[in-house]
Amino acid sequence: MSVSAEIRAELARRKISYSDVAKHLGTTRQNVWRHLSDDDRSMTDTTLSEFAAFLGVPAWELMRRAEEAGKESAE
């Protein structure tokens, strides 16, 4: 699983819309969608930090979850 996929999953668990994220981050819904839809190609360290701060989850934890989910799906 990618970090983008983990962020999408966390947003879904919390029932947070891309519009809500966009308002909080001061960007557009389309920009949020772009960052989360291309499986990390546009996910910079800064962007990851912004999403992590919004979610109240350390960036390293999002990366750990994504790595763990990737290992589980490979088994």
Side-chain angles (χ1 to χ4, degrees):
M1 177 184 272
S2 69
V3 174
S4 296
E6 178 55 38
I7 293 170
R8 289 192 307 268
E10 186 65 25
L11 292 171
R13 285 190 288 273
R14 297 181 187 198
K15 296 179 173 48
I16 299 172
S17 72
Y18 285 8
S19 295
D20 292 337
V21 177
K23 285 178 191 175
H24 180 80
L25 297 181
T27 189
T28 64
R29 182 189 174 286
Q30 292 80 8
N31 201 30
V32 170
W33 179 86
R34 182 178 59 84
H35 284 300
L36 297 180
S37 67
D38 67 1
D39 293 326
D40 299 337
R41 285 187 287 274
S42 67
M43 184 69 65
T44 64
D45 290 343
T46 301
T47 304
L48 174 57
S49 294
E50 290 172 347
F51 281 110
F54 172 75
L55 292 169
V57 177
W60 64 264
E61 175 64 14
L62 293 170
M63 292 185 301
R64 185 197 65 76
R65 291 181 195 174
E67 183 177 331
E68 190 172 294
K71 287 178 184 176
E72 289 173 6
S73 66
E75 294 176 350

